[in-house]
Amino acid sequence: MAFYTLAGCARPDERGMHMPMLRIARPEDAPALLNIYAPYIEHTAITFEETVPTVEAFSRRMQGIQARFPYLVAVEGGQPIGYAYAASHHERAAYRWNAELSIYLDQNVRRQGVGSMLYRALISCLEQMGYINLYALVTQPNEASMSLHRRVGFEVEAVAHKTGYKMGRWRDVATLHLALAGPEAPAGEPVCFCDLPQQSIQRILCPER
């Protein structure tokens, strides 16, 4: 895939402070990203997955997502510290302008602006691809995730009560929604991330250049 050749770059935040490098996920990132994800499986209800996948299975998931969608990684000191990606919201054809977002951060870097950086870049990619509606599912309670989503423009659309059982109790899940366009008919079909011009992706990854 051509976009794997794109380099990332360090980015300032809105205050001009240094932020980690942002780039496209690479196959060799799978072990580090799984290390970020595993504690969420083992110690939280943030994900409803209950068994940590193997590196091989996790790598296959990454490849499946990247066949169409962006998969972004925040890197500091050469080490991934967070990642975010999009996937299909529903499989029926009429839902094809919708995408569902996910994000996971190393436990040591939360509340430092990394999540907002990843999400804003991911949203920009999806907007360029022609997506109209973005969704996220957030297990309740999770004020850190709710704050992140509100910061980038998501609003609560619905709450499913007692919809998942993990770690000894029933869990509610909020569906959050961000509309990228008005109610008019979409201008065209959403495109594959791999078909976006490299210059467009580079401007998203490195907006100061």
Side-chain angles (χ1 to χ4, degrees), residues 1 63-70 88 129 131 190-194:
M1 296 182 184
Q63 294 172 32
I65 291 166
Q66 289 186 293
R68 180 160 189 84
F69 290 98
S88 296
M129 292 165 67
Y131 282 88
V191 302
C192 177
F193 181 61
C194 57

Side-chain angles (χ1 to χ4, degrees), residues 90-140:
H90 288 299
E91 294 303 321
R92 299 295 188 195
Y95 290 111
R96 63 189 179 275
W97 289 275
N98 302 347
E100 185 174 314
L101 280 58
S102 297
I103 184 168
Y104 294 95
L105 303 177
D106 184 284
Q107 301 293 314
N108 297 315
V109 301
R110 293 188 300 176
R111 303 182 188 277
Q112 296 180 23
V114 179
S116 296
M117 177 191 72
L118 276 165
Y119 245 21
R120 288 192 172 103
L122 182 60
I123 290 166
S124 294
C125 290
L126 294 164
E127 193 166 22
Q128 294 263 341
M129 292 165 67
Y131 282 88
I132 304 298
N133 295 295
L134 305 184
Y135 294 91
L137 302 179
V138 180
T139 306
Q140 301 299 301

Side-chain angles (χ1 to χ4, degrees), residues 7 15 21 29 49 63 69 80 86 118 128 155 168 177 203:
R15 300 162 297 175
M21 183 180 80
D29 291 327
E49 192 161 9
Q63 294 172 32
F69 290 98
L118 276 165
Q128 294 263 341
E155 297 180 350
H177 173 237
R203 282 194 294 270

Side-chain angles (χ1 to χ4, degrees), residues 2-8 23-24 26 197-199 201-202 205:
F3 57 79
Y4 283 139
T5 65
L6 289 172
R23 61 167 172 77
I24 305 303
R26 302 166 182 163
Q198 290 202 13
Q199 313 91 282
I201 301 172
Q202 195 69 40
L205 297 179

